[in-house]
Amino acid sequence: MRRGVHAEAAALTLLGVAPRLAVVVATADEGAGWYVRSLSGAARRVGVECEVVDLGPDAAPELIGATLARLSSDDTVHGIILQTPLPDGARVEELAASIVPEKDVDGANPLSAGRLAAGLAAYPPATAAAVLELLDHHGVELAGRSAVVVGRSLVVGKPTAQLLLQRDATVGICHRHTKDLAEHTRTADVLVVAVGRIGLIRAEHVADGAVVVDVGTNTAPDGSLVGDVDAVDVARRPGALTPVPGGVGPVTTALLLAHTVRSARAHV
Amino acid sequence: MRRGVHAEAAALTLLGVAPRLAVVVATADEGAGWYVRSLSGAARRVGVECEVVDLGPDAAPELIGATLARLSSDDTVHGIILQTPLPDGARVEELAASIVPEKDVDGANPLSAGRLAAGLAAYPPATAAAVLELLDHHGVELAGRSAVVVGRSLVVGKPTAQLLLQRDATVGICHRHTKDLAEHTRTADVLVVAVGRIGLIRAEHVADGAVVVDVGTNTAPDGSLVGDVDAVDVARRPGALTPVPGGVGPVTTALLLAHTVRSARAHV
């Protein structure tokens, strides 16, 4: 996919519409900083301009909203991301309403979520889209199969469930209140885990032959990046598991850039 | 609930803000006609004015959208419903975007759905809200329990799943592509059925002690109104089943009126 995005970005640039992504940051969080640098690097490599608008960790919600509104009406910007975490008192789901849906490449505006549920054109959150992209890439059939999503966050769990439902899977959604998690997850042909807890999913949670997509990104005590799935334990089961790091993360980045380029096409 | 709405509507009327619901109709469908008359009657009984704006079965989508926009900016209107079915070429999820969220008492605007998913203030579709109202009225516990919704429509299945998830139920969503429906539905402590198929759910689909909410409204060969659940067969199981007619239908109507009155309060 990335090669296609690179070629398309180059062609658009030749036509005078250089694809441009704006990332609004209002945090000193280290993980967020690492992620934004990684995204900027990936953007540069495929020929997408990436503008980081750093408002500082004490930015008022009003300033963040006004910045998103300004970027929304800036014709040279084609994609807008509001990086989390945000300062106290700022809520991403409220502020993201200031991102026009055409530039909402990470599907953060509630209107994008609603349009997605209604089957209308909208960008889904890139992480959720990445889960589907991975499943499609590996030819995993979804229609009529049982898919279970563990986690119900606005950015991953809920939209992933929505996308799986659109693809005719029978969908279950589990979370911290679920009693006997393993009983539910063991019914899954496709298991998507997006909670943020190391070792949450072990062999006993997984059916033989199930495909497991690990969306978790946790920092292990030794500083390494690990998912929610105990990969060593789950490897005892015949089936497939996406790795962390790798897996969903890089595909998410690629999709954010692909969405930005798609949005830029509308300006040719 | 209805008595409270009646008293509140009377008080608002005394204050010069007579609660008013506008129903936009563009169909000659008999069922729709029956429903709108029933809604008008219920509105009159609780002191809510109900204005039916009949655009005729050949109304152009542009006219429907313009009418919704006009009613949205009319200060004397507090609730707006777009009745289905619509003429060919008109899509409710596109047109409903012209209903401002504050008056979107049946949660038809995709923005309302997105705000609901994001946990922001919004009216859910009244039928979905009615399912929860019924469960609450009967003291059915939801947190940590297994709830299965059969049907994934935009007006009932999807928003009901959303509301059950908000209430910390573990939620499953089944539909026509689900293989072995009974295997899924038998895991449910709470089973909500909203498909529109007579006799879809029988005793074999229901666990002992499960609560079954039947949202189906079908016309039987003898002309009577029946749900999706074979009530006689399911009665062999110990548990509870909401009746059709009765059950969800009247509660839905009551909630539409309650939403309209709540919206009118903002104008005092």
Side-chain angles (χ1 to χ4, degrees):
Chain A
M1 181 176 59
R2 190 172 295 184
R3 186 179 292 275
V5 169
H6 200 166
E8 208 176 331
L12 286 165
T13 303
L14 282 171
L15 291 168
V17 185
R20 188 140 158 264
L21 174 67
V23 184
V24 174
V25 179
T27 179
D29 180 79
E30 267 187 44
W34 179 89
Y35 176 72
V36 170
R37 281 192 299 280
S38 146
L39 180 59
S40 298
R44 199 170 47 242
R45 285 193 292 282
V46 298
V48 169
E49 292 179 17
C50 182
E51 175 191 1
V52 177
V53 184
D54 193 340
L55 302 174
D58 302 318
E62 294 72 24
L63 175 63
I64 300 171
T67 304
L68 295 171
R70 174 179 65 74
L71 293 165
S72 287
S73 58
D74 181 339
D75 279 345
T76 70
V77 172
H78 310 106
I80 303 171
I81 295 172
L82 176 56
Q83 180 62 39
T84 54
L86 292 174
D88 287 348
R91 291 183 65 187
V92 64
E93 55 275 27
E94 279 174 359
L95 291 172
S98 297
I99 304 174
V100 284
E102 307 86 76
K103 302 187 183 183
D104 185 23
V105 290
D106 202 15
N109 185 336
L111 181 55
S112 297
R115 291 185 58 90
L116 196 68
L120 300 174
Y123 291 114
T127 306
V131 171
L132 274 286
E133 183 84 16
L134 268 175
L135 292 170
D136 284 343
H137 181 76
H138 292 285
V140 178
E141 207 188 322
L142 294 170
R145 299 187 80 200
S146 170
V148 172
V149 179
V150 186
R152 55 175 168 173
S153 70
L154 200 55
V155 289
V156 192
K158 282 182 183 177
T160 301
Q162 193 69 60
L163 293 173
L164 289 166
L165 195 58
Q166 266 182 15
R167 300 286 294 278
D168 297 333
T170 299
V171 176
I173 309 169
C174 299
H175 44 78
R176 75 169 65 89
H177 296 277
T178 295
K179 285 176 190 151
D180 198 350
L181 180 63
E183 196 181 289
H184 286 91
T185 56
R186 270 201 309 266
T187 67
D189 299 311
V190 175
L191 179 61
V192 180
V193 190
V195 170
R197 186 132 58 91
I198 296 175
L200 176 68
I201 299 296
R202 301 175 52 83
E204 77 222 48
H205 293 86
V206 180
D208 282 352
V211 173
V212 184
V213 181
D214 189 353
V215 190
T217 50
N218 311 291
T219 308
D222 69 359
S224 64
L225 186 70
V226 297
D228 292 347
V229 178
D230 184 331
V232 174
D233 200 53
V234 167
R236 298 186 305 161
R237 295 259 183 236
L241 169 67
T242 64
V244 176
V248 174
V251 178
T252 302
T253 301
L255 279 175
L256 283 171
L257 301 173
H259 291 172
T260 302
V261 169
R262 197 198 304 171
S263 160
R265 285 182 78 117
H267 289 74
V268 173
Chain B
M1 183 176 55
R2 187 170 297 184
R3 186 178 293 274
V5 169
H6 199 164
E8 208 176 332
L12 286 165
T13 302
L14 281 172
L15 292 168
V17 186
R20 188 141 157 264
L21 173 67
V23 184
V24 175
V25 179
T27 178
D29 181 81
E30 266 187 44
W34 179 88
Y35 176 71
V36 171
R37 280 191 300 279
S38 147
L39 180 58
S40 298
R44 197 171 47 242
R45 285 192 294 279
V46 297
V48 169
E49 292 178 18
C50 183
E51 174 192 1
V52 177
V53 184
D54 194 339
L55 303 174
D58 301 319
E62 294 72 24
L63 174 63
I64 300 171
T67 303
L68 296 171
R70 173 179 65 74
L71 294 165
S72 287
S73 57
D74 181 341
D75 279 346
T76 69
V77 172
H78 309 107
I80 303 171
I81 295 172
L82 176 55
Q83 180 62 38
T84 55
L86 292 174
D88 288 348
R91 291 183 64 188
V92 64
E93 54 274 28
E94 281 174 357
L95 290 171
S98 297
I99 304 174
V100 285
E102 307 87 75
K103 302 185 183 182
D104 185 23
V105 290
D106 201 15
N109 185 338
L111 180 56
S112 296
R115 290 185 59 91
L116 196 68
L120 301 173
Y123 291 114
T127 306
V131 171
L132 274 285
E133 182 86 16
L134 268 175
L135 292 170
D136 285 344
H137 181 77
H138 291 286
V140 177
E141 208 189 320
L142 293 171
R145 300 187 80 200
S146 170
V148 172
V149 179
V150 186
R152 54 174 170 174
S153 70
L154 199 57
V155 288
V156 192
K158 283 182 182 175
T160 302
Q162 194 68 58
L163 293 172
L164 289 165
L165 195 58
Q166 267 181 16
R167 298 288 293 279
D168 297 331
T170 299
V171 177
I173 309 169
C174 300
H175 44 78
R176 73 169 67 90
H177 296 277
T178 296
K179 285 174 190 153
D180 198 350
L181 180 63
E183 196 181 288
H184 286 92
T185 55
R186 270 200 310 262
T187 67
D189 299 313
V190 176
L191 178 60
V192 180
V193 190
V195 170
R197 187 132 59 91
I198 296 174
L200 176 68
I201 300 297
R202 301 173 51 84
E204 77 223 47
H205 294 87
V206 180
D208 282 354
V211 174
V212 184
V213 181
D214 189 353
V215 190
T217 49
N218 311 290
T219 309
D222 69 359
S224 66
L225 186 70
V226 297
D228 292 346
V229 177
D230 184 332
V232 174
D233 200 50
V234 167
R236 297 187 305 161
R237 294 258 183 240
L241 168 68
T242 65
V244 176
V248 175
V251 179
T252 301
T253 299
L255 279 175
L256 283 171
L257 300 172
H259 291 173
T260 301
V261 169
R262 197 197 306 170
S263 161
R265 284 182 79 117
H267 288 74
V268 173

